[in-house]
Amino acid sequence: MSFAELLDHVGGMGRFQIIYAILLPIPVFMLASHNLLQNFTAATSEHHCHVHININNTPYTNLTGNNQQPEKYHRFVTTQWQLLDSNATVTNLTELETEPCADGWAYDKSIFTSTIITEWDLVCDSRQLKQMAQSIYMAGILQGLFLGESGISSRKREVMVSLYLALMAVTGTSTAFSPSFTAYCIFRFLTGMAFSGIAMNGVSLSVEQTPTRTRAVVGTMYGYCYTIGQFILAGVAYVISSWRWLQLVVSLPYFICFIYSWWFAESARWLVIAGRPDEAVKQLQRMASMNRKEEEGDRLDIEVLRSNMQKETASAKSSHTFFDLVRTPVVRRISFCLCFVWFSSSFAFYGLAMDLQNFGVNIFLIQLVFGAVDFPAKFISVLTVGFIGRRFTQTLTLILAGLSILANIFVPQDLKTLCIVLAVIGKGCLAASFNCVVLYTSELYRTVIRQTGMGLSNTMACLGSILAPLVKMLEEYIPFLPLIIYGAAPIISGIAATFLPETLNVPLPGTIEELETRLVESIGRQEE
């Protein structure tokens, strides 16, 4: 009897599993809010130099353009009273002496009453700090991933989930009370660490407690919870225009999640592999009791558990490191290709998702549209993955995403609808790419190095999300350069994905030798 059969023996998808499947994804709703929060808390409002005199068109302010709109970065050195006369003809405004905005800036507060931009004047020479703040948050996610892969998280994962939920609640709330931009970045870094811990440990706990036949449903539900979270963010941000209150509202629910998280228990599979069979028996008996299978639970003991899980225990005793991912030609090839795919999917995704203001339309509406496209995109990817193949889906979604992004370079700025359509197609393709690559990665690596392979893949995704905001800074020098980079990356990785073996209807590899043989056969079929 395998562990999957043991789960069916004590109730299968019973009440215990249903409660887990409901409670564990709840924090995911707000994870999307924290990931994309700076679209709203760091929105850049219309602004111009602040002046002491505010008569009509503020004569101290430098005016530019045919409509003589206030200039964002400079003001006149001396008062230009002639600008107050509507009948006067003023020429050569560019020849008048100007100076930087010494007294701060005045901001349009019609949409957002306050953001971190207006709070700390992150404009002009400081405008790139906005992108730095997002990269720092993403670096926190990467640090959380490293902690998860290290010995720090060798403790029970239900304890780690509770601790990470507490960290998210405390640091997220503290961010709302940040006295300075430096403090804001520190708290956002810690929030990113919490994000990583909640996502990794929560998904593992839920999936390992779930029978094989319903595991895909539970995994898909996690993905859609994140998608729904994007809708929640748009709605909450529309109602709350102050960045501090918005930050507070998306952080406080984690205190509730922290309270009920202490009901969670570690999976019996992990407990057996960790050398705690007595605790595993108690956990399975608890599961059987909640699923009304008390008699089956009473018949379980340590010897029964050990005899049924010898394979899992033997695999766990094997020592495997990162070098196993590059030791043989086949695994090395798979690892390099997957690194390209994970990096570019995340890189291009955040390049699009964190640049909503650039579309020049209602930012709340575009957030809803960007979230809504995930539903059909993920559904279509599920169909193509299941009927056509993983490699085809992965290649197609990445190349289409890249072409959609590159096409936006050639669209005139006045055709906003077309720009948005192309961006939405690109974002949907990247969402489908993520949906595919998670499954693809888990199938390509043999069992004993699967966790290490997923760790490397997630690391590359984090690196992509860190670099995406930094690349955005390049538009200060060449406006279309970020789009070229965002578009080229998924196209290159889509080509790299063609070198991966197909895994549709193929059993999971048990050994590296088996994996080597399969790829050689796959290459031979392609050449034919």
Side-chain angles (χ1 to χ4, degrees), residues 408-425:
N408 249 332
I409 299 174
F410 306 100
V411 178
Q413 290 187 350
D414 55 337
L415 298 179
K416 292 182 179 179
T417 302
L418 181 57
C419 288
I420 293 172
V421 169
L422 289 172
V424 168
I425 292 174

Side-chain angles (χ1 to χ4, degrees), residues 130-149:
K130 168 185 174 178
Q131 307 298 340
M132 286 295 299
Q134 181 66 15
S135 288
I136 289 172
Y137 167 76
M138 292 299 179
I141 295 180
L142 180 60
Q143 180 61 38
L145 182 64
F146 286 152
L147 290 178
E149 291 297 320

Side-chain angles (χ1 to χ4, degrees), residues 500-522:
L500 292 170
E502 181 55 67
T503 59
L504 177 62
N505 298 327
V506 176
L508 294 180
T511 64
I512 291 180
E513 291 73 19
E514 183 180 350
L515 193 59
E516 295 267 353
T517 302
R518 284 186 190 174
L519 184 56
V520 171
E521 293 175 352
S522 176

